[in-house]
Amino acid sequence: MLLMQFNTTGAEFPTVDTWTPEEIRAHIAFMGEVNGKLMAAGEFVDAQGLAMPDQARIVRAGEGGRPVVTEGPFAETKEFLAGYWIVDTETVERAVELAAYISAAPGPGGAPVNMPIEVRAVMSGPPQDQ
């Protein structure tokens, strides 16, 4: 799984809400191209961009298992998950290569944003005894 992280304090580019419409379109087009290349290579499983954290809901099990939904409190953080890809690659090295490519998505002025992409395995079950 490739997790696109966003950090408001350490970002080397301005927040997306300050980008021009053309810059946003170029960024989204790049992501579409990434997905197309992954599909063509047979490595694409799923990919989604996520809403901003202010649209998130916290859910806990209440009495009788009924959901108790709140709009916070959220942990105070400057980092959040902006989106993800689930890929099926032959090697970890290939997943790392894809993460580096995605990290270089265009931002303001077409410059690479170099957004951190976390690479993590999706667990399929508990470890097998050997």
Side-chain angles (χ1 to χ4, degrees):
M1 184 173 221
L2 309 177
L3 304 163
M4 179 183 288
Q5 305 289 335
F6 182 76
N7 183 334
T8 58
T9 59
E12 299 173 8
F13 56 91
T15 58
V16 174
D17 61 345
T18 66
W19 295 14
T20 66
E22 295 79 22
E23 291 167 340
I24 292 171
R25 280 193 288 276
H27 187 80
I28 291 170
F30 176 86
M31 296 305 175
E33 290 170 15
V34 166
N35 294 346
K37 288 178 181 181
L38 291 171
M39 287 178 201
E43 297 172 318
F44 183 89
V45 176
D46 188 28
Q48 301 294 327
L50 302 176
M52 297 298 287
D54 64 348
Q55 297 178 21
R57 303 296 176 262
I58 302 294
V59 180
R60 291 184 175 82
E63 187 175 324
R66 287 187 203 91
V68 175
V69 181
T70 61
E71 294 180 11
F74 297 106
E76 186 167 337
T77 182
K78 304 295 183 197
E79 298 178 3
F80 61 89
L81 183 61
Y84 67 87
W85 288 260
I86 298 177
V87 295
D88 185 7
T89 60
E90 291 290 324
T91 65
V92 173
E93 292 77 19
R94 173 65 178 151
V96 168
E97 178 183 300
L98 291 170
Y101 181 71
I102 292 167
S103 175
V113 292
N114 295 321
M115 189 176 296
I117 307 294
E118 181 178 346
V119 178
R120 294 181 63 186
V122 174
M123 303 301 289
S124 60
Q128 301 295 318
D129 291 342
Q130 295 183 2

